[in-house]
Amino acid sequence: MSINEDRLKELIETATTDIGAIAYAPLAIIGDRLGLYDALAEHGPLTPRELADRTDTAERYVREWLAASAASDYVSYDPETKRYSLSPEQALLLADTVGPASPLAGLFQIAVAAGGSLPDIETAFRTGEGVGWHEHDEGVFEGMSRISELDFKENLVSDWIPALEGVDEKLREGARVADLGCGYGESTITMAQAYPHSTFVGVDYHEGSIEAARERAAAAGVADQVSFEVATAKKYTGAEYDLVTTFDCLHDMGDPVGVAKHVRETLAADGTWMIVEPLSGDQVDENLNPRGRMFYSMSTMLCTPNALDQEGSHALGAQAGEARLREVVTEGGFTQFRRATETPPFNMVLEAKP
């Protein structure tokens, strides 16, 4: 077997990049938790000693962390002054003081926390059984909450809902909404704050997430508009909803067709189902890019195992694609389906109507 030396060098470079990313991921979490990014955003440029003093941390560790962060392009370094800082773009993604809850740090948190389930996932590879969302480390839920907050604050009320036919008007006048797979409730709370005349029910099968959602709704001052229910998307209660939402979770469900049928049964005759899913192509080769690598990898650790842990024969995965989602929704009884809008590079917003 002949070896293509150039191709071998490319693979080594790829592996070096990947191993560096894996090694940096826990450092990103440390920088987030200890306020290192925040201090750089607020007070930089700083030397390692100055950053350590501002964050009450040990200078020698901070010096190494800064070098790793600069080599990873998440922190900027000036070789003349030997000081470190965050560019506006770096700060937006990493600093709580600038961006909405550090979305990039949230992704690192999910990736690291998901790795804690490696023994269970390895066993699942051998048995074909599932690993439920509830079996993962709390960091998965927290990280998902943080990255979702960015989408909801930036896009949900300003772009996604207005892209649906007549829904924004209904919500402003007063409508009934069920938010399925609500997690910590960011989506439910964001909608409640924007539409004070409407009422909302957040639904999630994970009891711990529902408890957190109730606390957050009370803190946000919308507890009189919002209630939360521990239930699956196939068994939540209520009827005649004007809007049902599923944010980045339909592909996680073992029986998405059964979910579609239940959503259809609980919708008002002129109701709408908003389905937000990862923006992806319908074929594998359309997703062979950095975004696809992230989604496929997280799907292997989180989404597909969760679907296999539930009843049903589907395990769509995070890169299901619009065509496959259309099949699921129409098989569940919906007659109208379209892509209402999209928010590159991560989201597509689908609209289904009876």
Side-chain angles (χ1 to χ4, degrees):
M1 179 178 67
S2 61
I3 298 295
N4 183 322
E5 293 294 334
D6 291 336
R7 178 56 179 151
L8 178 60
K9 290 178 181 178
E10 289 177 1
L11 289 172
I12 292 173
E13 280 297 312
T14 298
T16 302
T17 299
D18 289 350
I19 293 167
I22 294 168
Y24 185 75
L27 299 185
I29 295 174
I30 288 172
D32 176 58
R33 290 179 177 172
L34 298 183
L36 301 177
Y37 296 120
D38 292 349
L40 282 173
E42 287 190 272
H43 306 291
L46 298 173
T47 65
R49 168 53 63 192
E50 290 168 340
L51 179 57
D53 289 343
R54 285 193 173 275
T55 55
D56 194 25
T57 52
E59 186 273 339
R60 185 60 189 91
Y61 279 102
V62 169
R63 192 195 329 159
E64 209 72 6
W65 178 88
L66 283 167
S69 299
S72 300
D73 199 26
Y74 294 126
V75 168
S76 300
Y77 176 64
D78 185 339
E80 293 186 4
T81 65
K82 301 190 183 306
R83 291 174 180 270
Y84 297 83
S85 62
L86 293 185
S87 69
E89 296 77 18
Q90 290 165 334
L92 181 65
L93 291 176
L94 290 161
D96 281 341
T97 55
V98 179
S102 303
L104 193 59
L107 281 168
F108 279 121
Q109 188 174 7
I110 293 172
V112 171
S117 297
L118 178 59
D120 293 334
I121 300 299
E122 181 180 351
T123 298
F125 263 78
R126 300 180 187 278
T127 65
E129 296 179 354
V131 178
W133 183 260
H134 60 283
E135 298 180 67
H136 289 283
D137 182 87
E138 187 74 17
V140 171
F141 317 138
E142 293 176 358
M144 186 62 69
S145 172
R146 297 180 70 175
I147 63 171
S148 298
E149 184 178 353
L150 171 64
D151 276 336
F152 300 144
K153 290 194 177 210
E154 296 293 318
N155 303 307
L156 177 53
V157 174
S158 61
D159 298 321
W160 295 351
I161 290 176
L164 306 175
E165 184 180 351
V167 172
D168 182 67
E169 293 82 356
K170 286 183 182 179
L171 292 172
R172 293 188 185 283
E173 293 174 2
R176 300 184 68 244
V177 181
D179 183 17
L180 312 184
C182 69
Y184 281 11
E186 282 81 9
S187 50
T188 323
I189 294 167
T190 298
M191 290 188 288
Q193 290 173 324
Y195 300 105
H197 297 298
S198 293
T199 58
F200 301 83
V201 179
V203 178
D204 203 290
Y205 91 94
H206 183 234
E207 187 170 356
S209 291
I210 289 296
E211 291 174 358
R214 287 174 177 145
E215 293 175 0
R216 294 185 177 207
V222 295
D224 58 334
Q225 279 180 265
V226 176
S227 61
F228 292 96
E229 177 183 356
V230 178
T232 67
K234 287 175 61 177
K235 296 181 179 179
Y236 66 93
T237 59
E240 294 298 310
Y241 288 109
D242 299 291
L243 175 66
V244 173
T245 60
T246 49
F247 295 104
D248 198 27
C249 62
L250 183 62
H251 65 266
D252 296 318
M253 300 175 185
D255 184 13
V257 173
V259 171
K261 290 178 179 178
H262 191 56
V263 172
R264 175 67 181 83
E265 291 169 355
T266 61
L267 266 182
D270 62 345
T272 300
W273 181 15
M274 177 166 64
I275 307 158
V276 179
E277 285 285 308
L279 181 60
S280 60
D282 295 318
Q283 305 299 325
V284 170
D285 57 290
E286 298 177 68
N287 302 316
L288 300 183
N289 49 55
R291 184 182 69 242
R293 179 174 70 162
M294 181 182 73
F295 278 132
Y296 278 133
S297 298
M298 288 190 173
S299 182
T300 306
M301 294 296 292
L302 298 169
C303 310
T304 300
N306 184 72
L308 293 172
D309 188 58
Q310 300 178 355
E311 62 180 1
S313 58
H314 291 76
L316 294 174
Q319 302 263 82
E322 184 176 348
R324 186 71 186 98
L325 292 166
R326 179 188 295 271
E327 292 175 7
V328 164
V329 171
T330 54
E331 190 176 343
F334 286 83
T335 61
Q336 299 178 51
F337 180 93
R338 71 181 181 98
R339 184 182 298 197
T341 189
E342 60 186 48
T343 308
F346 294 128
N347 303 110
M348 61 178 169
V349 180
L350 308 172
E351 177 189 73
K353 298 176 77 67

